[in-house]
Structures are given as structure tokens and as C-alpha cells.
Amino acid sequence: MTHIPRTDVLIVGSGIMGSLVARLLRESDPALHLTMADGGTSIGGAPGRHLHDLDDPELWSRYNEKVATGIQGMYTGAEVVREVADSLPDLTPGMFHALAFGEDAEAMPQAALAWNAGGMGVHWTAATPWPAGDEVFDFGDPDAWAADLITARRLLAVTPAAIGPTKVGELVLDVLRRRYGDAGPADRAPQPMPMAVTPTPSGPMPRTAPGTIFPALAEGGDPAFTLLTGTLVTALTQGDAGRVTGARLRRVADGTESELRAGTVVVCADALRTPQLLYASRIRPEALGRCLNEHAFVTARVLLDLDRFGLDPGALPLPRPGEFSTDSLWLPCNGPGRPFHGQIMNRTYVDGAGRPLAHSVGLSLYVPVESRPQNRLVFSAHETDLAGLPRIRVEFGYSETDRALIRRALDEVRSLAEEFGPFDPDTESTVLPPGSSLHLTGTVRAGVTDDGTSVCDPDGRVWGFDNLYLAGNGVVPTAMAANVTLTGAVTAVRAARAVTART
Ligand SMILES: Cc1cc2nc3c(=O)[nH]c(=O)nc-3n(C[C@H](O)[C@H](O)[C@H](O)COP(=O)(O)OP(=O)(O)OC[C@H]3O[C@@H](n4cnc5c(N)ncnc54)[C@H](O)[C@@H]3O)c2cc1C
């Protein structure tokens, strides 16, 4: 066992959450020594750069092929892969179904893990709607929540109207506004989808990714920052009661073990592997892994009836070069009357010569699911997954209330789709299998008191520990309808501020 020099803060995970924490800690102290460890390695030359923005034509076209459905669950493959690789070093970095990583995840078959530097943040679509109503967890301080949300939006470079609306996108928005526009505050009206991108006048729009949030990740040049890729954190080490002393690391390529001492540890290893690492470190509060949540995913696609809308095929919009959809639109959830979050991504189909033929309206409704302790992760004391960490069993199902809301969403999507063109709900809409949204939450949830129903305090500090923090979607305690990353980013903002206050 070798020892590497001590670091001030160890960040586990180089995804969006880890990079947000690193960025904020660096803004507050240019000399603070930060070490970031990630089990995965870089896809392409620069760790943490989004695949949408790589110069490598092969990687770029592979990415675009996967992302073209507009459904994140399909990105890892429409067919669930259950075959587990022979060994971890054999894996090409990328996204893998949890089942293919050796987890017992049949209850959530489409759940997937990032195994690469930059995590899911180099693959994501970057839709960043803001939370409202029951999604918000301000713990009684709405002003602090609002300020942290603004910080999260700034760091993710959230752009209000990024992809569209084109003229046809405006027609789609008109229909949405007629149906839903009157109810609720103006910021919950149908509108273009906010996206975490850098706006450009033409051509592709670069996505916000770990390497743009914290540029030293992709470019280096920060003498007080050490990035350890291909380095699995196998356990957090503990000293006196209530303190972690650092972590045990294993280099994936050759199995070399080492120990790293750290003043503070922030775990940002996603909603499945953050609780897994705590369990592996014998940190096992009652709420660990419980209240696993994921909104249900109802999806539909309808071809726009051009006659009904008085459109000529020649008038159909084409996407900007380098983008796959013409419009990315948002129907925000809005209280019990409209509990669903709508993500609408539209495409124009072209013939071999690039002439527009038809336009499809891609309608996805995310249905909030009740937070229940019986939906949970269970960690095995005996079996391990591909990484050699405690095997995760996923226990997940829908309550009667959830099922009723899913049926309501199916009715809603049918009547909405019929506004745009002829629609067959049996063949053109479906409820995707659990895991498909990749928006898992709740497994290391925050709470205001250490009463057994939460794992960490509102700042992400693990109950009973002085210097161990968590950040990411797993910390989110509320049932989310919208895409979760912007909301998860609030937990990173809070954890970074708390770490800054103590270092
Ligand atoms: C195709 C796709 C599209 C998406 N679209 C959207 C969208 O439009 N909007 C939205 O809100 N969300 C979207 N998401 C989800 C979004 O990407 C995630 O919510 C977000 O990136 C999670 O960030 P994270 O840092 O918490 O986790 P991750 O990105 O999963 O990063 C965790 C990192 O931790 C590392 N790690 C785990 N365990 C260990 C360990 N023990 N030791 C060392 N390293 C470890 C992993 O290798 C990984 O790199 C999408 C995801 C995908 C894949």
C-alpha cells in the first residue's frame, strides 16, 4: 500500500457535481489543494469535454447516432445489456447498464452508469428546467434556495431559449399555450426549454460539461489540482469518531492500491454509487439507499399534420448543422392540475437530397413518483459488482397513486398528440421501463434532523461526520417531475459553501 501526499479536499467523481464543487472551492481559495478521483478514464483527449463538442469525427458521429432518439434511456442502448464484462480494465469508457456492471437491477432495467472521466456530463442532453412547488427543498429558507439556484444556473450556463423556437416550434408552443397557458404563474407557462449550452449565432452549440465548469479538468494548468482518472475509491478511511481521514484507492489498470489522506471528502459518485461507497466504508445510516426515486417516463411521437397547420414541406425547419433537433420545448409542471413535466423535442425528416419531408413532435411527459422507503437500494455484504464494490440490488415499484398518475399521463399525451396530427397511442406512445430517464434521486437524501429518514444535513454533511459531504441527485429528497441535474446542482453549491466555511 503506497501513500500519496495529503490533499485538502478529495472529491470522488469527476461528473457535473464533482466539477461544480471543484469550481466553487477554487473560486473561494486559489491555493486549496484539490484531488479528484474517478474510476473511469477519458473518452477522447480532454477529460470532461462533452462528446458533442469533440473534434474527433468518429467519436462525434458515434455520439450523434446514440443521442438522435432524444430519449436518454435509449442512449445506452434500447436493448438492455445484461452480460457483464470479464474484468473492469476491459471496459471501454462510456455508459453501461447497471445490469451490465453486475448490479441486481432488474427492477430498474434501464438504469445506467457512467464509467468515464466526466461521468454522464460528457453525454447529457443538457435540458435544465428549474424546479418549483413540491420539487423544491428549501428547508424553510426560500431566499437561500433562490440564491443557490441562481448560482447553479450560472455555473451550468443555463440559456433560456437555446434550440428554437423555429416558426414551426412556435406553432407547437401556440397549441401548448392554448391548452395550458392560462393556469399558473408566467414562469410555468409553456416555453422553450432552458439548456446548459453556450449560445452561438450558427452551427452547433457547445454543451456545458465538467470540463467547461471546471476547466482545469480538461485543460490542466492548475498547480493545486490533481486529477486521478482510472482510480477507483474503494473505501473512505475513518479516524476519530465522526471524521474521515481520506480514502483507499485502487488503480483500475493494474490493481495497485494506495491511500490518500484528505482534510475533507466530498462524494459526488452518482445516486447509485455514492451510497454504495458509504456502505463499503461501513457508514450505514438507516436511510442509506432508501427512498430511491425516478419519475416515470411516458413518451410519444406524432407526425405534424401539415395540412392542418397550413404548412408546405418546404417550409419545415432544418436543424442547425451539428444539432439533431429543430426545437427543444418545455411544458413545466404546475401543481396538482398539471403534475407532469413535458419535454418536447422536434425533428424534421429529410430525403436523400436533404429536402424536408415531414416533421415529428416528440412528446415526453415525466410523471412524479411518490417517495417511499420501500423503493430502495440494498447493498450486499457478500457479493460484489464489476468494480469489486458491494453489489447493489434495486427494489423499485409504483404505488397505486403512481399508477393512476401514469394512466393520466398516457391520456394526456394522447389528447395532446392528437392536436398535432393523426396518432395511434398503441404504437406511437409508451411508458418506458424504470431507469430510462437516468434521473435517479433520493438515495442519500438531505434532511433537517438526524431522525433516521435522511443521510445528510441540508449542506450535504453526513450525519455524525464532521468532514464528510455528499453532493448530487441522490441528495435530492423531493419527488421530481423535471430533469434533475439543475436541482442536483443546488446540492453541490451548498456542499461547496459548507466546505469553504470549514477549510
Ligand atoms: C444521454 C444522457 C442524457 C441526459 N440528459 C439530461 C438532461 O437533458 N437533463 C438533465 O437534467 N439530466 C440529464 N442527464 C442526467 C445527467 O447527465 C446527470 O444527472 C448528471 O450528469 C449526474 O452528474 P453526477 O456528477 O452526479 O454523476 P455522474 O455523471 O454519474 O458522475 C459520477 C462519477 O463518479 C465516478 N465514480 C462512481 N463511483 C466511484 C468510485 N467509487 N470511485 C471513483 N469514481 C467513482 C463515475 O465514474 C462517474 O464519472 C442525462 C444523462 C445521459 C447519460
Side-chain angles (χ1 to χ4, degrees):
M1 175 91 63
T2 54
H3 289 264
I4 8 188
R6 183 186 180 282
T7 190
D8 293 323
V9 182
L10 167 64
I11 300 168
V12 183
S14 66
I16 287 176
M17 305 304 162
S19 60
L20 286 168
V21 171
R23 160 83 175 266
L24 287 164
L25 293 180
R26 178 54 74 242
E27 281 181 1
S28 68
D29 183 350
L32 189 71
H33 194 272
L34 307 175
T35 298
M36 185 181 272
D38 201 295
T41 52
S42 178
I43 308 176
R49 279 203 61 199
H50 202 292
L51 305 190
H52 176 267
D53 306 319
L54 293 184
D55 297 332
D56 182 324
E58 198 195 315
L59 286 176
W60 191 87
S61 55
R62 208 187 309 155
Y63 163 77
N64 273 280
E65 212 173 282
K66 287 178 168 188
V67 85
T69 59
I71 295 171
Q72 55 271 41
M74 305 277 180
Y75 184 89
T76 317
E79 292 295 318
V80 176
V81 180
R82 291 179 166 76
E83 199 181 333
V84 184
D86 288 338
S87 77
L88 200 55
D90 289 345
L91 285 190
T92 307
M95 293 288 304
F96 296 89
H97 288 115
L99 283 160
F101 219 74
E103 316 299 356
D104 180 357
E106 284 299 346
M108 212 176 233
Q110 284 283 2
L113 305 170
W115 184 246
N116 56 264
M120 294 195 198
V122 305
H123 308 272
W124 74 318
T125 313
T128 35
W130 57 85
D134 291 346
E135 297 177 314
V136 170
F137 45 102
D138 62 16
F139 299 122
D141 191 344
D143 292 343
W145 166 268
D148 291 346
L149 189 58
I150 287 171
T151 305
R153 286 165 84 174
R154 172 175 64 82
L155 296 182
L156 291 175
V158 174
T159 303
I163 301 181
T166 61
K167 284 200 170 115
V168 173
E170 278 295 355
L171 294 176
V172 172
L173 274 177
D174 285 345
V175 171
L176 296 173
R177 288 184 186 122
R178 173 169 49 73
R179 282 177 71 102
Y180 308 107
D182 291 342
D187 76 334
R188 304 311 284 176
Q191 58 193 283
M193 177 64 85
M195 306 275 294
V197 300
T198 303
T200 50
S202 59
M205 273 170 285
R207 305 297 192 252
T208 300
T212 57
I213 295 168
F214 185 57
L217 184 57
E219 297 159 14
D222 180 337
F225 173 64
T226 304
L227 175 65
L228 303 171
T229 58
T231 304
L232 191 71
V233 178
T234 54
L236 306 174
T237 50
Q238 297 180 53
D240 299 338
R243 286 189 67 77
V244 286
T245 53
R248 268 199 291 282
L249 313 178
R250 189 187 338 125
R251 209 157 61 198
V252 173
D254 58 13
T256 307
E257 306 248 339
S258 58
E259 203 163 307
L260 171 66
R261 294 183 74 77
T264 303
V265 177
V266 190
V267 185
C268 308
D270 81 33
L272 293 174
R273 290 172 292 177
T274 296
Q276 180 191 47
L277 182 58
L278 264 57
Y279 183 89
S281 313
R282 303 199 160 272
I283 301 168
R284 299 172 181 177
E286 176 65 22
L288 193 74
R290 287 191 182 269
C291 293
L292 165 68
N293 204 328
E294 188 214 19
H295 41 225
F297 197 141
V298 170
T299 188
R301 189 165 284 283
V302 56
L303 284 186
L304 194 68
D305 184 334
L306 300 187
D307 290 340
R308 197 187 298 177
F309 287 86
L311 291 167
D312 183 80
L316 291 176
L318 293 174
R320 285 167 165 229
E323 296 296 342
F324 67 91
S325 68
T326 59
D327 294 271
S328 174
L329 310 174
W330 179 27
L331 173 64
C333 60
N334 184 30
R338 201 204 306 151
F340 318 118
H341 159 93
Q343 179 161 351
I344 297 118
M345 297 194 85
N346 302 342
R347 306 189 64 186
T348 293
Y349 298 114
V350 295
D351 66 13
R355 282 183 299 258
L357 291 173
H359 190 76
S360 86
V361 181
L363 299 165
S364 291
L365 293 184
Y366 295 163
V367 185
V369 159
E370 289 187 301
S371 281
R372 297 183 301 143
Q374 58 267 51
N375 282 340
R376 61 184 293 210
L377 306 176
V378 180
F379 302 96
S380 174
H382 312 290
E383 294 174 306
T384 53
D385 64 9
L386 185 58
L389 286 167
R391 190 175 189 222
I392 303 170
R393 187 172 79 244
V394 179
E395 297 182 355
F396 186 80
Y398 296 129
S399 69
E400 261 320 304
T401 306
D402 300 334
R403 276 191 248 280
L405 211 51
I406 293 168
R407 284 194 295 274
R408 196 174 139 195
L410 282 165
D411 286 346
E412 188 70 32
V413 92
R414 179 187 44 71
S415 90
L416 181 56
E418 283 169 352
E419 295 257 12
F420 297 111
F423 179 70
D424 175 8
D426 292 337
T427 57
E428 292 172 309
S429 67
T430 192
V431 185
L432 293 174
S436 294
S437 80
L438 306 178
H439 296 150
L440 311 188
T441 54
T443 53
V444 283
R445 65 213 314 263
V448 279
T449 50
D450 183 9
D451 60 0
T453 65
S454 56
V455 171
C456 57
D457 75 7
D459 289 332
R461 186 178 56 82
V462 175
W463 293 120
F465 281 83
D466 174 46
N467 62 344
L468 173 59
Y469 291 82
L470 313 176
N473 304 334
V475 178
V476 173
T478 46
M480 292 290 300
N483 315 54
V484 296
T485 307
L486 175 65
T487 305
V490 171
T491 73
V493 173
R494 290 174 173 173
R497 187 179 41 240
V499 172
T500 298
R502 61 182 315 274
T503 46

